[in-house]
PDB file of all heavy atoms in Angstrom:
ATOM      1  N   GLU N  10      17.941   0.413  -6.777  1.00 44.00           N
ATOM      2  CA  GLU N  10      18.723   0.573  -5.538  1.00 44.00           C
ATOM      3  C   GLU N  10      20.184   0.485  -5.841  1.00 44.00           C
ATOM      4  O   GLU N  10      21.020   0.957  -5.056  1.00 44.00           O
ATOM      5  CB  GLU N  10      18.294  -0.516  -4.568  1.00 44.00           C
ATOM      6  CG  GLU N  10      16.905  -0.311  -4.089  1.00 44.00           C
ATOM      7  CD  GLU N  10      16.319  -1.481  -3.310  1.00 44.00           C
ATOM      8  OE1 GLU N  10      16.938  -2.507  -3.165  1.00 44.00           O
ATOM      9  OE2 GLU N  10      15.216  -1.282  -2.767  1.00 44.00           O
ATOM     10  N   ALA N  31      11.416  -7.386  -7.747  1.00 98.00           N
ATOM     11  CA  ALA N  31      11.353  -7.122  -6.286  1.00 98.00           C
ATOM     12  C   ALA N  31      11.976  -5.802  -5.979  1.00 98.00           C
ATOM     13  O   ALA N  31      11.448  -5.037  -5.165  1.00 98.00           O
ATOM     14  CB  ALA N  31      12.035  -8.243  -5.531  1.00 98.00           C
ATOM     15  N   GLU N  32      13.099  -5.452  -6.635  1.00 98.00           N
ATOM     16  CA  GLU N  32      13.754  -4.128  -6.416  1.00 98.00           C
ATOM     17  C   GLU N  32      12.787  -3.012  -6.799  1.00 98.00           C
ATOM     18  O   GLU N  32      12.676  -2.015  -6.082  1.00 98.00           O
ATOM     19  CB  GLU N  32      15.027  -4.001  -7.284  1.00 98.00           C
ATOM     20  CG  GLU N  32      16.179  -4.880  -6.861  1.00 98.00           C
ATOM     21  CD  GLU N  32      17.330  -4.717  -7.890  1.00 98.00           C
ATOM     22  OE1 GLU N  32      17.279  -3.798  -8.725  1.00 98.00           O
ATOM     23  OE2 GLU N  32      18.276  -5.531  -7.777  1.00 98.00           O
ATOM     24  N   ALA N  34       9.457  -3.085  -7.078  1.00 98.00           N
ATOM     25  CA  ALA N  34       8.280  -3.046  -6.138  1.00 98.00           C
ATOM     26  C   ALA N  34       8.694  -2.411  -4.786  1.00 98.00           C
ATOM     27  O   ALA N  34       7.983  -1.514  -4.299  1.00 98.00           O
ATOM     28  CB  ALA N  34       7.722  -4.402  -5.902  1.00 98.00           C
ATOM     29  N   ARG N  35       9.855  -2.781  -4.247  1.00 97.00           N
ATOM     30  CA  ARG N  35      10.326  -2.160  -3.011  1.00 97.00           C
ATOM     31  C   ARG N  35      10.565  -0.669  -3.195  1.00 97.00           C
ATOM     32  O   ARG N  35      10.186   0.130  -2.318  1.00 97.00           O
ATOM     33  CB  ARG N  35      11.613  -2.811  -2.513  1.00 97.00           C
ATOM     34  CG  ARG N  35      11.441  -4.045  -1.732  1.00 97.00           C
ATOM     35  CD  ARG N  35      12.703  -4.442  -1.019  1.00 97.00           C
ATOM     36  NE  ARG N  35      13.823  -4.690  -1.898  1.00 97.00           N
ATOM     37  CZ  ARG N  35      14.148  -5.861  -2.443  1.00 97.00           C
ATOM     38  NH1 ARG N  35      13.440  -6.942  -2.149  1.00 97.00           N
ATOM     39  NH2 ARG N  35      15.191  -5.971  -3.230  1.00 97.00           N
ATOM     40  N   HIS N  36      11.157  -0.329  -4.244  1.00 96.00           N
ATOM     41  CA  HIS N  36      11.496   1.063  -4.521  1.00 96.00           C
ATOM     42  C   HIS N  36      10.233   1.946  -4.631  1.00 96.00           C
ATOM     43  O   HIS N  36      10.115   2.985  -3.974  1.00 96.00           O
ATOM     44  CB  HIS N  36      12.334   1.169  -5.808  1.00 96.00           C
ATOM     45  CG  HIS N  36      12.911   2.507  -6.049  1.00 96.00           C
ATOM     46  ND1 HIS N  36      14.028   2.958  -5.381  1.00 96.00           N
ATOM     47  CD2 HIS N  36      12.501   3.509  -6.858  1.00 96.00           C
ATOM     48  CE1 HIS N  36      14.317   4.155  -5.759  1.00 96.00           C
ATOM     49  NE2 HIS N  36      13.419   4.523  -6.678  1.00 96.00           N
ATOM     50  N   PHE N  93       5.734  -8.510  -5.302  1.00 98.00           N
ATOM     51  CA  PHE N  93       4.927  -7.536  -4.577  1.00 98.00           C
ATOM     52  C   PHE N  93       5.642  -7.153  -3.290  1.00 98.00           C
ATOM     53  O   PHE N  93       6.431  -7.905  -2.770  1.00 98.00           O
ATOM     54  CB  PHE N  93       3.486  -8.047  -4.301  1.00 98.00           C
ATOM     55  CG  PHE N  93       3.381  -9.281  -3.463  1.00 98.00           C
ATOM     56  CD1 PHE N  93       3.433  -9.244  -2.098  1.00 98.00           C
ATOM     57  CD2 PHE N  93       3.207 -10.502  -4.061  1.00 98.00           C
ATOM     58  CE1 PHE N  93       3.289 -10.359  -1.306  1.00 98.00           C
ATOM     59  CE2 PHE N  93       3.047 -11.660  -3.338  1.00 98.00           C
ATOM     60  CZ  PHE N  93       3.101 -11.606  -1.948  1.00 98.00           C
ATOM     61  N   SER N  94       5.365  -5.925  -2.842  1.00 98.00           N
ATOM     62  CA  SER N  94       5.904  -5.413  -1.627  1.00 98.00           C
ATOM     63  C   SER N  94       4.779  -4.872  -0.803  1.00 98.00           C
ATOM     64  O   SER N  94       3.939  -4.106  -1.315  1.00 98.00           O
ATOM     65  CB  SER N  94       6.952  -4.258  -1.978  1.00 98.00           C
ATOM     66  OG  SER N  94       7.654  -3.925  -0.824  1.00 98.00           O
ATOM     67  N   ILE N  95       4.757  -5.257   0.470  1.00 97.00           N
ATOM     68  CA  ILE N  95       3.680  -4.817   1.343  1.00 97.00           C
ATOM     69  C   ILE N  95       4.080  -3.464   1.898  1.00 97.00           C
ATOM     70  O   ILE N  95       5.143  -3.257   2.514  1.00 97.00           O
ATOM     71  CB  ILE N  95       3.428  -5.837   2.512  1.00 97.00           C
ATOM     72  CG1 ILE N  95       3.280  -7.261   1.989  1.00 97.00           C
ATOM     73  CG2 ILE N  95       2.270  -5.381   3.367  1.00 97.00           C
ATOM     74  CD1 ILE N  95       2.142  -7.475   1.005  1.00 97.00           C
ATOM     75  N   TRP N 118       2.498 -12.202   4.651  1.00 96.00           N
ATOM     76  CA  TRP N 118       3.537 -11.202   4.324  1.00 96.00           C
ATOM     77  C   TRP N 118       3.111  -9.902   5.005  1.00 96.00           C
ATOM     78  O   TRP N 118       2.047  -9.385   4.727  1.00 96.00           O
ATOM     79  CB  TRP N 118       3.583 -11.000   2.826  1.00 96.00           C
ATOM     80  CG  TRP N 118       3.879 -12.255   2.061  1.00 96.00           C
ATOM     81  CD1 TRP N 118       2.991 -13.051   1.404  1.00 96.00           C
ATOM     82  CD2 TRP N 118       5.171 -12.806   1.857  1.00 96.00           C
ATOM     83  NE1 TRP N 118       3.629 -14.073   0.790  1.00 96.00           N
ATOM     84  CE2 TRP N 118       4.987 -13.978   1.025  1.00 96.00           C
ATOM     85  CE3 TRP N 118       6.468 -12.489   2.194  1.00 96.00           C
ATOM     86  CZ2 TRP N 118       6.004 -14.760   0.628  1.00 96.00           C
ATOM     87  CZ3 TRP N 118       7.527 -13.281   1.812  1.00 96.00           C
ATOM     88  CH2 TRP N 118       7.321 -14.414   1.032  1.00 96.00           C
ATOM     89  N   ARG N 119       3.975  -9.408   5.923  1.00 97.00           N
ATOM     90  CA  ARG N 119       3.701  -8.170   6.634  1.00 97.00           C
ATOM     91  C   ARG N 119       4.637  -7.097   6.167  1.00 97.00           C
ATOM     92  O   ARG N 119       5.725  -7.346   5.699  1.00 97.00           O
ATOM     93  CB  ARG N 119       3.919  -8.366   8.105  1.00 97.00           C
ATOM     94  CG  ARG N 119       3.009  -9.423   8.713  1.00 97.00           C
ATOM     95  CD  ARG N 119       3.156  -9.604  10.204  1.00 97.00           C
ATOM     96  NE  ARG N 119       2.524 -10.814  10.706  1.00 97.00           N
ATOM     97  CZ  ARG N 119       1.223 -10.954  10.775  1.00 97.00           C
ATOM     98  NH1 ARG N 119       0.400  -9.986  10.431  1.00 97.00           N
ATOM     99  NH2 ARG N 119       0.680 -12.063  11.202  1.00 97.00           N
ATOM    100  N   ALA N 120       4.141  -5.815   6.219  1.00 96.00           N
ATOM    101  CA  ALA N 120       5.009  -4.677   5.830  1.00 96.00           C
ATOM    102  C   ALA N 120       6.319  -4.753   6.647  1.00 96.00           C
ATOM    103  O   ALA N 120       6.266  -5.033   7.821  1.00 96.00           O
ATOM    104  CB  ALA N 120       4.261  -3.396   6.055  1.00 96.00           C
ATOM    105  N   PRO N 121       7.462  -4.572   5.996  1.00 95.00           N
ATOM    106  CA  PRO N 121       7.770  -4.214   4.611  1.00 95.00           C
ATOM    107  C   PRO N 121       8.230  -5.383   3.791  1.00 95.00           C
ATOM    108  O   PRO N 121       9.135  -5.263   2.966  1.00 95.00           O
ATOM    109  CB  PRO N 121       8.874  -3.204   4.827  1.00 95.00           C
ATOM    110  CG  PRO N 121       9.692  -3.743   5.932  1.00 95.00           C
ATOM    111  CD  PRO N 121       8.655  -4.396   6.858  1.00 95.00           C
ATOM    112  N   SER N 122       7.614  -6.574   3.903  1.00 96.00           N
ATOM    113  CA  SER N 122       8.041  -7.784   3.169  1.00 96.00           C
ATOM    114  C   SER N 122       7.882  -7.591   1.674  1.00 96.00           C
ATOM    115  O   SER N 122       6.982  -6.867   1.216  1.00 96.00           O
ATOM    116  CB  SER N 122       7.186  -8.941   3.593  1.00 96.00           C
ATOM    117  OG  SER N 122       7.428  -9.335   4.920  1.00 96.00           O
ATOM    118  N   THR N 123       8.752  -8.246   0.935  1.00 97.00           N
ATOM    119  CA  THR N 123       8.678  -8.303  -0.522  1.00 97.00           C
ATOM    120  C   THR N 123       8.805  -9.758  -0.936  1.00 97.00           C
ATOM    121  O   THR N 123       9.686 -10.493  -0.370  1.00 97.00           O
ATOM    122  CB  THR N 123       9.802  -7.462  -1.152  1.00 97.00           C
ATOM    123  OG1 THR N 123       9.589  -6.090  -0.816  1.00 97.00           O
ATOM    124  CG2 THR N 123       9.802  -7.590  -2.691  1.00 97.00           C
ATOM    125  N   ALA N 124       8.039 -10.198  -1.919  1.00 96.00           N
ATOM    126  CA  ALA N 124       8.143 -11.557  -2.433  1.00 96.00           C
ATOM    127  C   ALA N 124       8.223 -11.483  -3.960  1.00 96.00           C
ATOM    128  O   ALA N 124       7.658 -10.543  -4.575  1.00 96.00           O
ATOM    129  CB  ALA N 124       6.882 -12.336  -1.997  1.00 96.00           C
ATOM    130  N   ALA N 125       8.910 -12.398  -4.560  1.00 96.00           N
ATOM    131  CA  ALA N 125       9.114 -12.424  -6.021  1.00 96.00           C
ATOM    132  C   ALA N 125       8.948 -13.889  -6.511  1.00 96.00           C
ATOM    133  O   ALA N 125       9.355 -14.797  -5.829  1.00 96.00           O
ATOM    134  CB  ALA N 125      10.479 -11.887  -6.408  1.00 96.00           C
ATOM    135  N   THR N 167      13.327   2.072   0.540  1.00 25.00           N
ATOM    136  CA  THR N 167      12.587   1.124   1.305  1.00 25.00           C
ATOM    137  C   THR N 167      13.527   0.221   2.109  1.00 25.00           C
ATOM    138  O   THR N 167      14.716   0.200   1.827  1.00 25.00           O
ATOM    139  CB  THR N 167      11.737   0.210   0.436  1.00 25.00           C
ATOM    140  OG1 THR N 167      12.502  -0.857  -0.066  1.00 25.00           O
ATOM    141  CG2 THR N 167      11.128   0.912  -0.724  1.00 25.00           C
ATOM    142  N   SER N 168      12.985  -0.516   2.993  1.00 26.00           N
ATOM    143  CA  SER N 168      13.822  -1.478   3.709  1.00 26.00           C
ATOM    144  C   SER N 168      13.805  -2.809   2.945  1.00 26.00           C
ATOM    145  O   SER N 168      12.906  -3.025   2.090  1.00 26.00           O
ATOM    146  CB  SER N 168      13.309  -1.669   5.137  1.00 26.00           C
ATOM    147  OG  SER N 168      11.993  -2.115   5.070  1.00 26.00           O
ATOM    148  N   THR N 169      14.694  -3.672   3.240  1.00 27.00           N
ATOM    149  CA  THR N 169      14.763  -4.971   2.517  1.00 27.00           C
ATOM    150  C   THR N 169      13.698  -5.899   3.051  1.00 27.00           C
ATOM    151  O   THR N 169      13.449  -5.992   4.231  1.00 27.00           O
ATOM    152  CB  THR N 169      16.147  -5.606   2.773  1.00 27.00           C
ATOM    153  OG1 THR N 169      17.160  -4.651   2.328  1.00 27.00           O
ATOM    154  CG2 THR N 169      16.309  -6.878   2.049  1.00 27.00           C
ATOM    155  N   GLY N 170      13.027  -6.605   2.122  1.00 29.00           N
ATOM    156  CA  GLY N 170      12.007  -7.569   2.483  1.00 29.00           C
ATOM    157  C   GLY N 170      12.502  -8.994   2.330  1.00 29.00           C
ATOM    158  O   GLY N 170      13.709  -9.257   2.349  1.00 29.00           O
ATOM    159  N   THR N 171      11.594  -9.894   2.151  1.00 29.00           N
ATOM    160  CA  THR N 171      11.898 -11.313   2.079  1.00 29.00           C
ATOM    161  C   THR N 171      11.457 -11.851   0.749  1.00 29.00           C
ATOM    162  O   THR N 171      10.406 -11.476   0.245  1.00 29.00           O
ATOM    163  CB  THR N 171      11.032 -12.064   3.150  1.00 29.00           C
ATOM    164  OG1 THR N 171      11.320 -11.472   4.430  1.00 29.00           O
ATOM    165  CG2 THR N 171      11.371 -13.551   3.209  1.00 29.00           C
ATOM    166  N   GLU N 172      12.293 -12.667   0.119  1.00 28.00           N
ATOM    167  CA  GLU N 172      11.933 -13.327  -1.146  1.00 28.00           C
ATOM    168  C   GLU N 172      11.851 -14.790  -0.924  1.00 28.00           C
ATOM    169  O   GLU N 172      12.684 -15.400  -0.256  1.00 28.00           O
ATOM    170  CB  GLU N 172      13.028 -13.025  -2.209  1.00 28.00           C
ATOM    171  CG  GLU N 172      12.702 -13.635  -3.548  1.00 28.00           C
ATOM    172  CD  GLU N 172      13.732 -13.234  -4.601  1.00 28.00           C
ATOM    173  OE1 GLU N 172      14.283 -12.152  -4.546  1.00 28.00           O
ATOM    174  OE2 GLU N 172      13.952 -14.067  -5.486  1.00 28.00           O
ATOM    175  N   GLU N 173      10.795 -15.395  -1.432  1.00 31.00           N
ATOM    176  CA  GLU N 173      10.548 -16.795  -1.237  1.00 31.00           C
ATOM    177  C   GLU N 173       9.799 -17.352  -2.401  1.00 31.00           C
ATOM    178  O   GLU N 173       8.968 -16.682  -2.975  1.00 31.00           O
ATOM    179  CB  GLU N 173       9.688 -16.990   0.010  1.00 31.00           C
ATOM    180  CG  GLU N 173       9.374 -18.405   0.378  1.00 31.00           C
ATOM    181  CD  GLU N 173       8.567 -18.513   1.676  1.00 31.00           C
ATOM    182  OE1 GLU N 173       8.697 -17.613   2.534  1.00 31.00           O
ATOM    183  OE2 GLU N 173       7.815 -19.470   1.776  1.00 31.00           O
TER     184      GLU N 173
END
Side-chain angles (χ1 to χ4, degrees):
E10 294 171 352
E32 290 176 11
R35 275 194 301 268
H36 191 77
F93 60 83
S94 191
I95 310 301
W118 303 98
R119 300 183 191 290
S122 295
T123 297
T167 84
S168 59
T169 302
T171 306
E172 182 175 328
E173 181 178 331

